[in-house]
């Protein structure tokens, strides 16, 4: 069957650094390594609608934004298939059949669903017996729709962030159940997590859990250099590090978490000037040396932040340039999406035929049943 990747993002906003280290960077590497036969990258608009039913315009507008983020981050449409979820109707049909293989109780136990229901204020307690608005059924079922996304393409590998682990586990259960009930049809996927611990869960600039638009703690891939510098300046560090001479804490210090995620050996030489000051200067060769100096005291937050801004802008500048070029020719970007969607639909249609055959609901193909030739 070959090695096949499927992954994607909800188009509810522009993509940020959390998306980049959590999965986008990996996707570009996987694309360039060439170890996969097919790579599908999905803009999950239907999933985005499960908690944005009253705001389809937001989802609509962000489809092109996410596509621009993908392409400017280095996804190459000659190597990957970028497509729009809702334009592949087979995915909703598969979801409907998979729904019969999952219990309400199992969905209620899904930790990501539980957490997201609370986060969105749908309900405070598990049975929903409070006065909150309640959880949309479609939202509650999105792990099932995600299993449809993955299996429709016979994906073997799903590169996603850690928060998606329960989704992949639930997908694997659906595959096992389907194959046990209807015969071997679907492929059981593996999750591919980011390899660097700091990338597993990049905190927001406020040091809080994850980057999220609603918390206003994101650095977007499309932010200008000035915005990045301003956001890094405002970053949470070690609240006990009041004087430059004080010993500082590295653990839980957001600037260091970001350096763990983004700093590479060549940055020390390229940005050595960040550590040259009026009062003191340092010459670091590795992040370990920077950490040791910070712990010992004498290294100020400003130097660190200047270093981090330089590193982030070094990463983002080529993306800004590519984005500006792509923005000059949006019809071309839409055409990439249209072609990718056509190819995705062909793939999903083949899986759906196999699913219908396995479930024996392909009635008109069964001449024994219908007597038709
Ligand atoms: N849930 C993912 C997110 O919020 C998006 C997504 C939808 C996805 N379907 C998927 C990811 C299938 C991987 C596989 O980012």
């Amino acid at each position: 069957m070959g090695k096949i990747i499927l992954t994607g993002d909800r188009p509810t906003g522009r993509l940020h650094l959390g998306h980049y280290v959590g999965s986008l960077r990996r996707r570009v590497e996987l694309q360039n390594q060439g170890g996969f036969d097919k790579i599908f990258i999905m803009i999950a608009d239907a999933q985005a609608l499960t908690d944005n039913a009253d705001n389809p315009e937001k989802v609509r507008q962000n489809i092109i934004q996410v596509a621009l983020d993908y392409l400017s981050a280095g996804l190459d449409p000659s190597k990957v298939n970028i497509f729009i979820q809702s334009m592949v109707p087979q995915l909703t049909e598969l979801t409907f059949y998979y729904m019969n293989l999952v219990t309400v109780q199992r969905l209620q136990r899904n930790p990501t669903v539980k957490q997201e229901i609370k986060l969105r204020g749908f309900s405070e307690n598990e049975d929903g017996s409070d006065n909150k608005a309640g959880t949309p059924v479609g939202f509650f079922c999105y792990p099932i729709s995600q299993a449809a996304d993955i299996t429709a393409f016979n994906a073997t590998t799903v590169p996603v962030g850690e928060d998606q682990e329960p989704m992949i586990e639930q997908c694997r259960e659906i595959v096992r159940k389907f194959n046990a009930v209807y015969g071997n049809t679907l492929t059981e996927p593996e999750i591919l997590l980011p390899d660097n611990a700091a990338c597993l869960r990049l905190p927001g600039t406020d040091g809080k859990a994850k980057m999220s638009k609603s918390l206003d703690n994101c650095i977007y891939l499309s932010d200008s250099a000035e915005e990045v510098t301003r956001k890094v300046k405002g970053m949470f560090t070690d609240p006990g590090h009041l004087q430059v001479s004080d010993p500082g804490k590295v653990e839980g210090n957001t600037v260091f978490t970001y350096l763990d995620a983004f700093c590479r050996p060549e940055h020390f030489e390229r940005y050595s000037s960040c550590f040259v000051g009026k009062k003191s200067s340092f010459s670091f060769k590795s992040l370990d040396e920077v950490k040791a100096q910070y712990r010992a005291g004498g290294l100020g937050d400003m130097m660190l932040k200047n270093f981090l801004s330089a590193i982030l802008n070094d990463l983002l500048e080529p993306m800004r340039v590519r984005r500006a070029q792509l923005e000059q020719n949006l019809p071309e970007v839409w055409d990439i999406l249209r072609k990718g969607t056509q190819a995705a639909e062909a793939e999903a249609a083949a899986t759906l035929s196999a699913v219908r055959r396995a479930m024996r609901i392909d009635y008109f193909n069964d001449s024994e049943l219908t007597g038709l030739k």
Side-chain angles (χ1 to χ4, degrees):
M1 276 309 295
K3 292 180 71 185
I4 299 171
I5 284 179
L6 178 118
T7 186
D9 301 279
R10 297 179 194 181
T12 52
R14 296 178 178 217
L15 300 184
H16 51 60
L17 285 177
H19 294 112
Y20 185 74
V21 292
S23 67
L24 198 44
R25 175 165 67 185
R26 189 53 141 346
R27 291 178 203 169
V28 175
E29 283 165 14
L30 293 168
Q31 153 196 289
N32 293 334
Q33 285 161 4
F36 285 84
D37 301 295
K38 289 180 191 158
I39 302 182
F40 295 95
I41 310 284
M42 181 180 73
I43 302 182
D45 65 327
Q47 189 176 105
L49 286 167
T50 65
D51 64 333
N52 286 285
D54 54 354
N55 201 355
E57 194 53 30
K58 173 171 103 181
V59 175
R60 182 184 159 92
Q61 295 303 330
N62 278 306
I63 288 176
I64 191 77
Q65 295 304 331
V66 170
L68 287 168
D69 284 328
Y70 283 166
L71 297 170
S72 51
L75 287 179
D76 173 354
S78 74
K79 295 183 180 144
V80 305
N81 232 310
I82 303 175
F83 71 97
I84 303 176
Q85 184 183 29
S86 72
M87 303 307 283
V88 180
Q90 290 82 358
L91 300 176
T92 27
E93 191 174 341
L94 276 180
T95 304
F96 199 64
Y97 301 139
Y98 294 173
M99 279 181 169
N100 306 327
L101 306 175
V102 181
T103 65
V104 171
Q105 290 73 17
R106 174 62 182 87
L107 274 176
Q108 275 167 338
R109 279 200 310 274
N110 183 311
T112 301
V113 173
K114 257 197 214 172
Q115 198 191 346
E116 289 182 328
I117 285 174
K118 280 199 182 142
L119 204 74
R120 285 165 175 70
F122 291 145
S123 178
E124 284 301 329
N125 51 15
E126 270 163 44
D127 65 358
S129 62
D130 47 32
N131 289 325
K132 301 286 167 115
T135 309
V137 173
F139 181 82
F140 183 60
C141 295
Y142 94 74
I144 305 176
S145 119
Q146 202 156 319
D149 303 335
I150 295 167
T151 54
F153 301 95
N154 291 302
T156 52
T157 312
V158 187
V160 279
E162 189 190 31
D163 62 315
Q164 294 293 305
E165 216 162 359
M167 301 300 159
I168 311 305
E169 193 41 48
Q170 186 135 33
C171 174
R172 290 164 60 91
E173 284 174 34
I174 291 171
V175 169
R176 290 197 289 264
K177 180 92 190 205
F178 189 101
N179 288 346
V181 175
Y182 304 116
N184 216 351
T185 313
L186 304 175
T187 307
E188 198 172 323
E190 308 273 348
I191 190 169
L192 185 63
L193 290 169
D195 39 16
N196 172 333
C199 299
L200 273 176
R201 203 168 273 246
L202 191 76
T205 51
D206 56 357
K208 296 239 175 68
K210 272 208 306 186
M211 272 197 188
S212 108
K213 200 168 54 175
S214 50
L215 294 174
D216 194 22
N217 62 359
C218 305
I219 296 178
Y220 293 97
L221 301 183
S222 48
D223 276 348
S224 68
E226 295 71 36
E227 273 167 314
V228 170
T229 306
R230 180 181 63 76
K231 288 178 179 179
V232 170
K233 267 206 184 108
M235 244 179 191
F236 182 86
T237 58
D238 167 14
H241 190 235
L242 297 174
Q243 313 259 352
V244 171
S245 55
D246 291 341
K249 264 214 234 64
V250 167
E251 286 69 31
N253 183 322
T254 313
V255 176
F256 277 105
T257 309
Y258 277 61
L259 286 173
D260 279 330
F262 294 102
C263 183
R264 290 194 310 268
E266 65 265 29
H267 290 142
F268 293 96
E269 207 182 302
R270 201 177 305 161
Y271 302 118
S272 58
S273 66
C274 294
F275 295 111
V276 177
K278 289 198 196 85
K279 292 193 188 122
S280 51
S281 294
F282 306 93
S283 161
F284 296 119
K285 286 189 198 61
S286 72
L287 196 51
D288 284 339
E289 288 181 16
V290 180
K291 288 179 180 173
Q293 186 66 58
Y294 194 77
R295 288 195 177 101
L299 175 57
D301 284 349
M302 261 346 280
M303 277 188 174
L304 269 188
K305 288 180 170 177
N306 287 340
F307 184 52
L308 178 59
S309 293
I311 290 173
L312 293 181
N313 280 325
D314 177 289
L315 170 75
L316 296 176
E317 186 53 26
M319 296 190 209
R320 289 182 199 117
V321 172
R322 273 198 295 268
R323 193 178 233 275
Q325 286 164 349
L326 292 162
E327 279 170 348
Q328 295 304 306
N329 199 352
L330 291 180
E332 195 182 312
V333 179
W334 280 108
D335 199 45
I336 290 170
L337 295 179
R338 181 169 59 183
K339 292 199 174 103
T341 302
Q342 280 163 353
E345 181 167 6
E347 205 80 24
T351 303
L352 194 67
S353 298
V355 160
R356 287 179 148 274
R357 212 177 314 121
M359 292 176 71
R360 296 182 40 84
I361 57 171
D362 59 336
Y363 311 113
F364 297 141
N365 291 335
D366 185 350
S367 57
E368 228 172 276
L369 174 74
T370 62
L372 295 169
K373 295 228 166 43

